[in-house]
Amino acid sequence: MEGALLARDLANNPLGHLIATEYGDFATEQGPSFGLTVATYGLAALIELGCGGLLGVNAGSYEEPRMIVLRYKPEGVPTAHLALVGKGIMYDSGGISLKPWDLMHLAMKMDMAGSAAVLAAMTRLRDLGANAEVSAWLMCTDNMPSGTATKLGDVLRARNGKTVEGENTDAGGRLVMMDALCLAMEESRDAIVDIATLTGAAMAAPVTLVGATIGNNQELVDQVTAAAAATGESAWQLPLENRYLKQLDSDIADISDVGGTTAGTMKSDTEDS
């Protein structure tokens, strides 16, 4: 799926990397053939929805953002409703907090891999005979430095009204996903699975050849890790530790987008909120 997207992009986009608008166009064109309904949300719609995280990360980019919402409904009464969220940072320069030059910089076209995994999974549901309803949110934008980019110390307002102080613009992935998580929480759903390349924090664990897995429902985490093992995708569960939450305090907002230099994957409130 990602290969097909990239091939299409290279034929039409001189930038040489997949951009959010073409990603949205592709999903809109191809989604119905897999039994999916697809809706895309551009700049004006995202402003109306109050998706300040996605908009803040997009502020420095020449390309418009897109939120792509895909929905699958089985025949008959669904047994459950699963929400999927995919990080779609199409290219991550780090923003104003520009990444240092190294091979990671060259790989940042893959920072949309979480959304690609979600999109690919959605296209298989009908063929697998999935009997649950599944909704997916793909949050797509470049993260670039420019005169309009979000700066350190700026405060962004999430979809649910909470404010976030930007202390590192390279933390854009979590900001775009917070809006999708808010939207998923607004719906009646049984579980939410979030897939993302939050690379630096996971590698510091160190997790380089396996996927870091965290969650606030152990039964669901066990299902995810079992599925990973069955498909040859190694996964390692990391803990959520509330004692790290103090590091996310902000003097000017409800929360900071980063906190401390360690335990970057483990700071979360374990309540379903």
Side-chain angles (χ1 to χ4, degrees):
M1 176 64 68
E2 184 180 353
L5 290 170
L6 185 56
R8 183 175 186 270
D9 174 63
L10 290 174
N12 297 282
N13 170 25
L15 292 178
H17 74 274
L18 183 61
I19 57 177
T21 50
E22 286 210 350
Y23 199 5
D25 291 344
F26 181 86
T28 299
E29 294 166 5
Q30 299 297 320
S33 64
F34 296 100
L36 306 174
T37 59
V38 183
T40 60
Y41 297 80
L43 186 62
L46 291 166
I47 292 172
E48 185 174 350
L49 286 170
C51 292
L54 181 55
L55 292 166
V57 176
N58 176 254
S61 178
Y62 175 79
E63 300 293 339
E64 278 201 14
R66 285 292 184 273
M67 179 173 71
I68 306 167
V69 181
L70 306 102
R71 297 188 186 273
Y72 165 81
K73 290 189 177 182
E75 295 183 4
V77 179
T79 58
H81 183 194
L82 173 65
L84 301 177
V85 172
K87 173 186 170 183
I89 301 296
M90 314 310 295
Y91 182 83
D92 187 10
S93 71
I96 294 297
S97 302
L98 193 67
K99 293 179 183 291
W101 185 90
D102 57 20
L103 293 180
M104 181 61 71
H105 223 319
L106 300 177
M108 281 298 98
K109 291 186 288 186
M110 52 74 69
D111 213 20
M112 44 70 70
S115 68
V118 170
L119 177 56
M122 293 294 291
T123 67
R124 309 319 303 161
L125 295 174
R126 184 180 61 186
D127 290 347
L128 291 171
N131 53 20
E133 179 181 354
V134 184
S135 301
W137 287 261
L138 313 183
M139 309 302 281
C140 306
T141 179
D142 289 321
N143 181 20
M144 302 291 287
S146 78
T148 61
T150 296
K151 301 172 291 299
L152 303 188
D154 285 354
V155 174
L156 305 178
R157 186 177 299 276
R159 160 72 180 176
N160 66 356
K162 287 192 174 182
T163 54
V164 181
E165 178 186 4
E167 293 189 354
N168 186 336
T169 61
D170 199 17
R174 65 202 66 180
L175 296 178
V176 304
M177 291 186 298
M178 71 180 180
D179 290 323
L181 291 168
C182 291
L183 289 164
M185 291 287 291
E186 292 173 14
E187 300 198 4
S188 175
R189 77 285 173 269
D190 297 286
I192 302 173
V193 176
D194 179 340
I195 304 178
T197 46
L198 296 176
T199 320
M203 289 177 66
V207 184
T208 55
L209 298 179
V210 299
T213 305
I214 57 175
N216 60 6
N217 182 298
Q218 191 58 47
E219 182 180 357
L220 181 59
V221 170
D222 290 343
Q223 292 179 32
V224 170
T225 53
T231 56
E233 295 282 353
S234 300
W236 180 30
Q237 183 180 359
L238 297 178
L240 289 175
E241 180 51 71
N242 283 355
R243 287 177 294 178
Y244 287 119
L245 278 174
K246 186 69 176 175
Q247 296 181 18
L248 296 178
D249 286 351
S250 167
D251 292 331
I252 60 173
D254 294 318
I255 194 171
S256 170
D257 64 351
V258 294
T261 57
T262 60
T265 61
M266 303 180 194
K267 303 178 181 72
S268 176
D269 189 339
T270 55
E271 295 181 2
D272 187 13
S273 61

